[in-house]
Amino acid sequence: FDHYRGPKAHVYLLQEDFEQLRARGFSMQWLPEERVEQGRLDTYHENAEIETQFIAWAAAYPMLFSYQSIGNSVQGRPMWVGKVSDNVGSDEPEIEVKYIGAMHGDELTGLENCIKLIDTLLTGYGVNAELTEMVNDFEIYILPLMNPDGRNVGTLGQRFNANGQDLNRD
């Protein structure tokens, strides 16, 4: 949801969600995407795309970004975690912060928020004083997709991992 004005708001939806809400009686109008900073608004990253993006960031920002797989999911998919810091190759005596997205494979906005956060930190470093201070003062670890098996089920995934476990409850 974005730009609330009285009873009106801009809402970013997939086409099928738009149609479902319209069918339920909501008064809606489809507007073209006004601004897309990185990629489309109607797609979500797959696990392999996260790895590809991490490779690109590590090449473009070698002093600020590194990544690794912290293990594999039940079905053998790597779990990618990125690190953003001003001295990414060192373990400095700084506050460490961890962000985790898509603990549930069908809740993908957290995944996309994590990807956007990394991009914002990297592109804002040296440009925006607050972002630069954050990267200088913290070691920021970001795991965009904690449940790659759940993400891999169907178009928008499922809540549980391949063992039927809810990673937020069990």
Side-chain angles (χ1 to χ4, degrees):
F1 289 87
D2 198 2
H3 305 296
Y4 291 97
R5 296 228 195 295
K8 295 183 178 183
H10 285 176
V11 181
Y12 302 98
L13 297 169
L14 297 172
Q15 182 71 36
E16 57 265 23
D17 296 329
F18 173 81
E19 296 301 336
Q20 285 181 11
L21 289 173
R22 179 183 266 171
R24 291 181 182 174
F26 285 88
S27 174
M28 303 172 66
Q29 178 184 4
W30 186 265
L31 301 173
E33 294 174 6
E34 295 177 11
R35 187 187 79 197
V36 179
E37 294 176 14
Q38 177 186 352
R40 297 175 46 121
L41 292 175
D42 63 349
T43 59
Y44 299 105
H45 286 81
E46 300 284 345
N47 203 43
E49 293 169 327
I50 294 169
E51 179 185 15
T52 300
Q53 184 61 65
F54 277 14
I55 290 168
W57 280 327
Y61 303 96
M63 298 301 294
L64 300 177
F65 184 79
S66 66
Y67 72 97
Q68 65 181 4
S69 171
I70 59 168
N72 292 319
S73 67
V74 174
Q75 294 178 335
R77 293 179 179 88
M79 297 171 64
W80 299 109
V81 66
K83 177 183 178 185
V84 180
S85 183
D86 65 324
N87 217 349
V88 77
S90 300
D91 185 16
E92 299 177 293
E94 297 175 327
I95 296 171
E96 296 180 0
V97 180
K98 171 180 66 174
Y99 293 95
I100 297 174
M103 186 176 299
H104 300 134
D106 61 351
E107 296 174 352
L108 302 176
T109 55
L111 182 162
E112 297 307 317
N113 286 334
C114 286
I115 296 293
K116 183 63 178 170
L117 175 59
I118 296 169
D119 185 64
T120 299
L121 291 169
L122 295 175
T123 60
Y125 186 80
V127 176
N128 177 294
E130 289 178 350
L131 295 174
T132 301
E133 183 178 7
M134 285 177 61
V135 172
N136 285 342
D137 293 348
F138 295 91
E139 291 187 349
I140 304 167
Y141 295 88
I142 302 175
L143 174 67
L145 181 54
M146 184 175 171
N147 186 356
D149 296 341
R151 167 69 185 100
N152 196 54
V153 175
T155 305
L156 296 177
Q158 72 175 7
R159 181 178 185 90
F160 307 100
N161 74 0
N163 282 338
Q165 299 294 308
D166 180 334
L167 300 179
N168 192 40
R169 304 282 190 273
D170 300 327

